Amino acid sequence: MTEEYTKVITGGVSHLQEDFDYTMSELTSLCEANNMQVVDSLTQNLDKIVTATYFGKGKVEELEHLATENDVKIVVINDELSPSQIRNLEEKTKLTVIDRTELILQVFASRAQSKQAKLQVEIAQLQYALPRIHPSGNPLDQQRGGGTTTRGAGETKLELDRRVIRNRITALKKQLEDVDKNIETQSKKRKTNTLPNVALVGYTNAGKSTTMNALLEKSVNDNEDSKVFEKDMLFATLDTSVRNVTLSDNTKFLLSDTVGFVSKLPHNLVDSFKTTLAEAKDADLIIQVVDYSDPNFQKTIDVTESTLKEVGIVNKPTILAFNKTDLTAAEYPTIEGNNIYYSALDGQSIDMLIGLIKENIYKNFHQETFLIPYNKGDITSYILDNLEVVSKEYVDEGTKLELIVNSTEYDKLSDYLI
Ligand SMILES: Nc1nc2c(ncn2[C@@H]2O[C@H](COP(=O)(O)OP(=O)(O)OP(=O)(O)O)[C@@H](O)[C@H]2O)c(=O)[nH]1
Ligand SMILES: [Mg+2]
């Protein structure tokens, strides 16, 4: 560990829930993702957290001792705390208390690159801060400086602070709407055709971006610029990337890579990221990438499914893609129904995954050749304007068109099938 890491202690109350240890070790990874080094950890079994201070009295004292011993100034708590719990715990321990929500928000903030992601994260951060600011030692005071707003008659410092934040949230939301609209227009442009839309979703670090890049490598229109960022770190991807894939057999589809999930992802963050996940909402096929080498992979599937539900993505045809099988003793690549056990680093695996994708998209999409007579010019222009044309040839009897169409379009055009 380098010296830029800030030393912290993690803390959590267990209600003896089976995933407690898992969420604690995930908390450590989140700390590391936020340049924090976990030097010790304190846990307590309680039926219910202590309302005022989260931990019981004895544990609070133990925490203070542990911090002094290790020369640590920050404790990171495994749950989201109420504003007064944070305040009480800070007063009693003289430590800075960061809860899981704030930690995740900080990681997202450090990763945000695009204007959209930056706005999404800042809105979520301010919404989190709003009920938590208090007149004394409010960190937002220093950040925002004096501000230009004049204080209204009788308005307390606290009310003023809150008003400034609320106004800022409103302004940022407006900006985000404009950015979203722009992105939506681009995405609509892409969708004037009927190409199948495939979205990669899943837990953070499962290998979504690596899988995307491996699929792009099989694309005949692949170039280095189309590659997405992949790295062994939490939340490497915050923005959705959409690419056009054309396979050597001329199968075409749109492929998107999306933000990863983690357990207890803050609700307002999920809400902010709804538009980023719009590609997954429009998808004809979802590929849920799972890190099969993670002993807790089932939990990551559950979290992904409940997060998708929260943003309204339900009942989609889904491939469960168990990645990183190379790190397990299991045989790969193998397919069982709509499940694939594979490794994104293995070419044969990717070929099998492509087979499964094709099988799924061809349930709803057809790639066929149609012959439209010259006296049906209106149909030909409709096709050229709206559908995905793979090839076009003028022959004696009319226009020969190889198309990718969904089932509805296919039925409409079935008279012209050759
Ligand atoms: N051994 C092994 N490593 C893999 C495999 N697939 C991905 N990885 C590694 O896992 C790490 C995370 O991969 P990413 O593709 O960035 O994961 P992601 O799902 O996009 O993660 P976020 O964008 O952070 O949500 C990288 O270091 C990859 O090299 C695999 O099949 N086997
Ligand atoms: Mg990624």
mmCIF file of all heavy atoms in Angstrom, residues 99-122:
data_model
loop_
_atom_site.group_PDB
_atom_site.id
_atom_site.type_symbol
_atom_site.label_atom_id
_atom_site.label_comp_id
_atom_site.label_asym_id
_atom_site.label_seq_id
_atom_site.Cartn_x
_atom_site.Cartn_y
_atom_site.Cartn_z
ATOM 1 N N ASP A 99 -20.699 6.679 6.219
ATOM 2 C CA ASP A 99 -21.516 5.469 6.091
ATOM 3 C C ASP A 99 -21.361 4.877 4.685
ATOM 4 O O ASP A 99 -20.718 5.470 3.817
ATOM 5 C CB ASP A 99 -22.981 5.732 6.489
ATOM 6 C CG ASP A 99 -23.705 6.657 5.534
ATOM 7 O OD1 ASP A 99 -23.113 7.052 4.512
ATOM 8 O OD2 ASP A 99 -24.868 6.995 5.831
ATOM 9 N N ARG A 100 -21.937 3.709 4.510
ATOM 10 C CA ARG A 100 -21.743 2.981 3.258
ATOM 11 C C ARG A 100 -22.221 3.782 2.052
ATOM 12 O O ARG A 100 -21.590 3.776 0.988
ATOM 13 C CB ARG A 100 -22.489 1.642 3.345
ATOM 14 C CG ARG A 100 -22.210 0.715 2.176
ATOM 15 C CD ARG A 100 -22.936 -0.605 2.366
ATOM 16 N NE ARG A 100 -22.792 -1.446 1.194
ATOM 17 C CZ ARG A 100 -22.008 -2.513 1.134
ATOM 18 N NH1 ARG A 100 -21.319 -2.879 2.170
ATOM 19 N NH2 ARG A 100 -21.922 -3.217 0.024
ATOM 20 N N THR A 101 -23.322 4.501 2.248
ATOM 21 C CA THR A 101 -23.861 5.296 1.143
ATOM 22 C C THR A 101 -22.872 6.370 0.716
ATOM 23 O O THR A 101 -22.587 6.534 -0.476
ATOM 24 C CB THR A 101 -25.192 5.943 1.580
ATOM 25 O OG1 THR A 101 -26.090 4.892 1.921
ATOM 26 C CG2 THR A 101 -25.784 6.797 0.491
ATOM 27 N N GLU A 102 -22.350 7.091 1.705
ATOM 28 C CA GLU A 102 -21.416 8.163 1.366
ATOM 29 C C GLU A 102 -20.159 7.601 0.700
ATOM 30 O O GLU A 102 -19.625 8.183 -0.243
ATOM 31 C CB GLU A 102 -21.037 8.964 2.625
ATOM 32 C CG GLU A 102 -20.262 10.204 2.243
ATOM 33 C CD GLU A 102 -19.880 11.087 3.429
ATOM 34 O OE1 GLU A 102 -20.274 10.781 4.570
ATOM 35 O OE2 GLU A 102 -19.173 12.079 3.196
ATOM 36 N N LEU A 103 -19.719 6.450 1.183
ATOM 37 C CA LEU A 103 -18.542 5.812 0.602
ATOM 38 C C LEU A 103 -18.778 5.490 -0.879
ATOM 39 O O LEU A 103 -17.950 5.804 -1.744
ATOM 40 C CB LEU A 103 -18.215 4.533 1.384
ATOM 41 C CG LEU A 103 -17.034 3.714 0.878
ATOM 42 C CD1 LEU A 103 -15.723 4.476 1.048
ATOM 43 C CD2 LEU A 103 -16.939 2.374 1.610
ATOM 44 N N ILE A 104 -19.921 4.869 -1.161
ATOM 45 C CA ILE A 104 -20.228 4.512 -2.557
ATOM 46 C C ILE A 104 -20.314 5.781 -3.408
ATOM 47 O O ILE A 104 -19.793 5.828 -4.525
ATOM 48 C CB ILE A 104 -21.533 3.688 -2.643
ATOM 49 C CG1 ILE A 104 -21.330 2.323 -1.963
ATOM 50 C CG2 ILE A 104 -21.968 3.489 -4.096
ATOM 51 C CD1 ILE A 104 -22.581 1.466 -1.871
ATOM 52 N N LEU A 105 -20.931 6.813 -2.858
ATOM 53 C CA LEU A 105 -21.032 8.080 -3.596
ATOM 54 C C LEU A 105 -19.648 8.651 -3.892
ATOM 55 O O LEU A 105 -19.391 9.160 -4.989
ATOM 56 C CB LEU A 105 -21.855 9.098 -2.805
ATOM 57 C CG LEU A 105 -23.363 8.836 -2.750
ATOM 58 C CD1 LEU A 105 -24.043 9.744 -1.742
ATOM 59 C CD2 LEU A 105 -23.987 9.024 -4.132
ATOM 60 N N GLN A 106 -18.734 8.521 -2.926
ATOM 61 C CA GLN A 106 -17.370 9.032 -3.145
ATOM 62 C C GLN A 106 -16.652 8.241 -4.242
ATOM 63 O O GLN A 106 -15.949 8.811 -5.068
ATOM 64 C CB GLN A 106 -16.552 8.970 -1.847
ATOM 65 C CG GLN A 106 -16.951 10.068 -0.860
ATOM 66 C CD GLN A 106 -16.163 10.031 0.453
ATOM 67 O OE1 GLN A 106 -15.241 9.236 0.610
ATOM 68 N NE2 GLN A 106 -16.534 10.887 1.382
ATOM 69 N N VAL A 107 -16.854 6.915 -4.232
ATOM 70 C CA VAL A 107 -16.208 6.099 -5.280
ATOM 71 C C VAL A 107 -16.759 6.503 -6.649
ATOM 72 O O VAL A 107 -16.003 6.724 -7.601
ATOM 73 C CB VAL A 107 -16.424 4.585 -5.040
ATOM 74 C CG1 VAL A 107 -15.836 3.769 -6.179
ATOM 75 C CG2 VAL A 107 -15.812 4.151 -3.718
ATOM 76 N N PHE A 108 -18.079 6.617 -6.728
ATOM 77 C CA PHE A 108 -18.687 7.022 -8.004
ATOM 78 C C PHE A 108 -18.159 8.390 -8.437
ATOM 79 O O PHE A 108 -17.865 8.609 -9.608
ATOM 80 C CB PHE A 108 -20.217 7.077 -7.874
ATOM 81 C CG PHE A 108 -20.901 5.800 -8.280
ATOM 82 C CD1 PHE A 108 -20.824 4.669 -7.488
ATOM 83 C CD2 PHE A 108 -21.629 5.725 -9.456
ATOM 84 C CE1 PHE A 108 -21.451 3.489 -7.862
ATOM 85 C CE2 PHE A 108 -22.266 4.544 -9.835
ATOM 86 C CZ PHE A 108 -22.182 3.436 -9.044
ATOM 87 N N ALA A 109 -18.051 9.315 -7.476
ATOM 88 C CA ALA A 109 -17.602 10.671 -7.823
ATOM 89 C C ALA A 109 -16.184 10.637 -8.390
ATOM 90 O O ALA A 109 -15.865 11.344 -9.342
ATOM 91 C CB ALA A 109 -17.666 11.571 -6.604
ATOM 92 N N SER A 110 -15.329 9.773 -7.820
ATOM 93 C CA SER A 110 -13.952 9.737 -8.310
ATOM 94 C C SER A 110 -13.856 9.063 -9.674
ATOM 95 O O SER A 110 -12.912 9.274 -10.416
ATOM 96 C CB SER A 110 -13.047 9.034 -7.300
ATOM 97 O OG SER A 110 -13.357 7.667 -7.250
ATOM 98 N N ARG A 111 -14.846 8.241 -10.020
ATOM 99 C CA ARG A 111 -14.804 7.550 -11.314
ATOM 100 C C ARG A 111 -15.490 8.325 -12.440
ATOM 101 O O ARG A 111 -15.262 8.049 -13.607
ATOM 102 C CB ARG A 111 -15.515 6.198 -11.229
ATOM 103 C CG ARG A 111 -14.978 5.255 -10.198
ATOM 104 C CD ARG A 111 -13.731 4.556 -10.690
ATOM 105 N NE ARG A 111 -13.423 3.413 -9.873
ATOM 106 C CZ ARG A 111 -12.495 3.385 -8.927
ATOM 107 N NH1 ARG A 111 -11.789 4.472 -8.704
ATOM 108 N NH2 ARG A 111 -12.275 2.297 -8.229
ATOM 109 N N ALA A 112 -16.377 9.241 -12.090
ATOM 110 C CA ALA A 112 -17.201 9.887 -13.122
ATOM 111 C C ALA A 112 -16.330 10.659 -14.101
ATOM 112 O O ALA A 112 -15.494 11.456 -13.702
ATOM 113 C CB ALA A 112 -18.214 10.809 -12.466
ATOM 114 N N GLN A 113 -16.510 10.407 -15.372
ATOM 115 C CA GLN A 113 -15.732 11.058 -16.419
ATOM 116 C C GLN A 113 -16.612 11.946 -17.287
ATOM 117 O O GLN A 113 -16.270 13.079 -17.575
ATOM 118 C CB GLN A 113 -15.095 9.989 -17.344
ATOM 119 C CG GLN A 113 -14.131 9.055 -16.663
ATOM 120 C CD GLN A 113 -12.758 9.649 -16.530
ATOM 121 O OE1 GLN A 113 -12.416 10.592 -17.245
ATOM 122 N NE2 GLN A 113 -11.963 9.145 -15.596
ATOM 123 N N SER A 114 -17.731 11.415 -17.714
ATOM 124 C CA SER A 114 -18.561 12.159 -18.655
ATOM 125 C C SER A 114 -19.376 13.200 -17.901
ATOM 126 O O SER A 114 -19.568 13.106 -16.691
ATOM 127 C CB SER A 114 -19.514 11.212 -19.375
ATOM 128 O OG SER A 114 -20.492 10.768 -18.460
ATOM 129 N N LYS A 115 -19.866 14.159 -18.640
ATOM 130 C CA LYS A 115 -20.715 15.208 -18.066
ATOM 131 C C LYS A 115 -21.937 14.568 -17.401
ATOM 132 O O LYS A 115 -22.304 14.914 -16.276
ATOM 133 C CB LYS A 115 -21.150 16.130 -19.224
ATOM 134 C CG LYS A 115 -22.104 17.215 -18.830
ATOM 135 C CD LYS A 115 -21.551 18.576 -19.189
ATOM 136 C CE LYS A 115 -22.182 19.606 -18.298
ATOM 137 N NZ LYS A 115 -22.637 20.804 -18.846
ATOM 138 N N GLN A 116 -22.522 13.582 -18.095
ATOM 139 C CA GLN A 116 -23.733 12.933 -17.576
ATOM 140 C C GLN A 116 -23.458 12.254 -16.233
ATOM 141 O O GLN A 116 -24.172 12.470 -15.249
ATOM 142 C CB GLN A 116 -24.244 11.905 -18.599
ATOM 143 C CG GLN A 116 -25.616 11.359 -18.244
ATOM 144 C CD GLN A 116 -26.040 10.208 -19.162
ATOM 145 O OE1 GLN A 116 -25.188 9.478 -19.696
ATOM 146 N NE2 GLN A 116 -27.329 10.050 -19.357
ATOM 147 N N ALA A 117 -22.369 11.481 -16.182
ATOM 148 C CA ALA A 117 -22.059 10.760 -14.940
ATOM 149 C C ALA A 117 -21.743 11.742 -13.815
ATOM 150 O O ALA A 117 -22.175 11.563 -12.671
ATOM 151 C CB ALA A 117 -20.887 9.815 -15.172
ATOM 152 N N LYS A 118 -21.008 12.805 -14.145
ATOM 153 C CA LYS A 118 -20.660 13.796 -13.118
ATOM 154 C C LYS A 118 -21.906 14.438 -12.533
ATOM 155 O O LYS A 118 -22.011 14.621 -11.317
ATOM 156 C CB LYS A 118 -19.744 14.876 -13.708
ATOM 157 C CG LYS A 118 -18.315 14.394 -13.853
ATOM 158 C CD LYS A 118 -17.424 15.493 -14.399
ATOM 159 C CE LYS A 118 -16.012 14.960 -14.582
ATOM 160 N NZ LYS A 118 -15.241 15.707 -15.551
ATOM 161 N N LEU A 119 -22.852 14.790 -13.411
ATOM 162 C CA LEU A 119 -24.098 15.404 -12.934
ATOM 163 C C LEU A 119 -24.896 14.419 -12.095
ATOM 164 O O LEU A 119 -25.411 14.747 -11.022
ATOM 165 C CB LEU A 119 -24.943 15.867 -14.129
ATOM 166 C CG LEU A 119 -24.437 17.108 -14.882
ATOM 167 C CD1 LEU A 119 -25.181 17.275 -16.196
ATOM 168 C CD2 LEU A 119 -24.617 18.357 -14.026
ATOM 169 N N GLN A 120 -24.991 13.187 -12.587
ATOM 170 C CA GLN A 120 -25.752 12.164 -11.864
ATOM 171 C C GLN A 120 -25.205 11.980 -10.452
ATOM 172 O O GLN A 120 -25.952 11.918 -9.482
ATOM 173 C CB GLN A 120 -25.682 10.827 -12.622
ATOM 174 C CG GLN A 120 -26.548 10.804 -13.866
ATOM 175 C CD GLN A 120 -26.221 9.654 -14.800
ATOM 176 O OE1 GLN A 120 -25.083 9.179 -14.850
ATOM 177 N NE2 GLN A 120 -27.192 9.200 -15.547
ATOM 178 N N VAL A 121 -23.881 11.915 -10.341
ATOM 179 C CA VAL A 121 -23.274 11.679 -9.039
ATOM 180 C C VAL A 121 -23.416 12.908 -8.138
ATOM 181 O O VAL A 121 -23.730 12.786 -6.956
ATOM 182 C CB VAL A 121 -21.782 11.289 -9.179
ATOM 183 C CG1 VAL A 121 -21.156 11.111 -7.816
ATOM 184 C CG2 VAL A 121 -21.640 10.004 -9.974
ATOM 185 N N GLU A 122 -23.227 14.109 -8.715
ATOM 186 C CA GLU A 122 -23.310 15.296 -7.862
ATOM 187 C C GLU A 122 -24.724 15.485 -7.310
ATOM 188 O O GLU A 122 -24.900 15.844 -6.135
ATOM 189 C CB GLU A 122 -22.839 16.551 -8.599
ATOM 190 C CG GLU A 122 -22.662 17.694 -7.605
ATOM 191 C CD GLU A 122 -22.089 18.983 -8.192
ATOM 192 O OE1 GLU A 122 -21.669 18.991 -9.356
ATOM 193 O OE2 GLU A 122 -22.101 19.983 -7.454
#
